[in-house]
Amino acid sequence: MVATMLLALISFWALLSGPAFSQPMPEHASAKSYGDGWQCDVGYRLNEGICTTITVPENAYATNRTYGAGWACRHGFRETSDAICVEVVVPEHGFLDPSGERWHCMRKFRKIGNTCQAIVLPANAYLTNNTYGAAWKCERGYAATGTGCATIAIPENAHLDRSGNRWECDKNFQKSRKRCLLND
C-alpha cells in the first residue's frame, strides 16, 4: 500500500516536471541555472524535442525568449515587416530616443517629414513643448497675430487680466467695446 502510494506520487511528480525529465538533454542545450531540467542555449529554440537554430538577422541579437522571433534589433535599428533590422536614420538636429527605434528633434526644432526644421521664434514670444500647433506663445501683454506677437492695447482705466492675454476694466469701470466707462 505504501509502495503503491509512493510510486503514484513519483509518477505524478514526473508528470508535473514536464518534458525536460521525460527526454534526454538535446544538443545545444544546458542545465537550467535554477531548479531542475534543461533549456535551449541562446540562439536556439525548442522545436519537437530538439534545440533548433534561430536565424538572427544582421544588426540583431538572440534574446533566448521562448516567445516571439527569438531575436531583437540592436539599439539604433528597428524591425521591418520583412523581419530585418534597418538603421534608424536621424536627421541633423535630431536625436535617437531611449528605445533606439525612433528619433525626435532637439529643442528649437520641429519634425517636418524626415527632417528637423528650426522654429522661427518671433519677438516677445517663448518656446512651448507643443508637438503640434504653434511651437511658441506670446509673452504676457502680447497677443499672437499669426506670425508674431503684437502689444495688447490697454485702454485708459484698464489693466491686463491674470492670464496676461486680455485686458479688463479697473474697479468701478465697465467694458464698452474697446474702452472702460465709469459705472453710474
Side-chain angles (χ1 to χ4, degrees), residues 33-172:
S33 58
Y34 57 91
D36 295 321
W38 54 266
Q39 63 187 17
C40 292
D41 296 335
V42 174
Y44 296 88
R45 179 170 282 164
L46 185 62
N47 184 13
E48 296 181 13
I50 61 171
C51 294
T52 57
T53 304
I54 295 172
T55 304
V56 178
E58 189 176 347
N59 301 311
Y61 59 94
T63 61
N64 206 31
R65 294 183 186 129
T66 56
Y67 58 88
W71 56 266
C73 293
R74 296 189 185 287
H75 190 78
F77 293 85
R78 64 177 176 73
E79 186 177 348
T80 68
S81 59
D82 299 332
I84 60 173
C85 296
V86 295
E87 185 175 6
V88 177
V89 178
V90 179
E92 185 178 5
H93 305 295
F95 62 93
L96 203 56
D97 79 353
S99 76
E101 296 178 359
R102 292 176 296 282
W103 58 269
H104 301 285
C105 293
M106 293 178 182
R107 186 158 171 77
K108 297 186 180 181
F109 293 87
R110 175 165 272 179
K111 185 176 183 178
I112 308 291
N114 290 323
T115 66
C116 291
Q117 294 184 6
I119 295 170
V120 178
L121 189 63
N124 304 308
Y126 61 92
L127 287 174
T128 65
N129 289 327
N130 292 346
T131 54
Y132 57 91
W136 52 267
K137 285 188 176 182
C138 294
E139 294 173 355
R140 183 175 170 79
Y142 295 87
T145 61
T147 59
C149 296
T151 304
I152 296 173
I154 303 172
E156 192 175 343
N157 302 312
H159 59 273
L160 283 175
D161 68 0
R162 285 184 179 218
S163 73
N165 300 323
R166 293 181 298 277
W167 58 268
E168 57 187 25
C169 294
D170 294 338
K171 188 175 181 179
N172 296 328

Side-chain angles (χ1 to χ4, degrees), residues 6-44:
L6 185 56
L7 185 58
L9 186 61
I10 290 171
S11 298
F12 179 71
W13 181 74
L15 268 174
L16 290 179
S17 63
F21 289 106
S22 62
Q23 60 187 11
M25 184 176 359
E27 189 177 355
H28 305 295
S30 341
K32 287 185 177 180
S33 58
Y34 57 91
D36 295 321
W38 54 266
Q39 63 187 17
C40 292
D41 296 335
V42 174
Y44 296 88

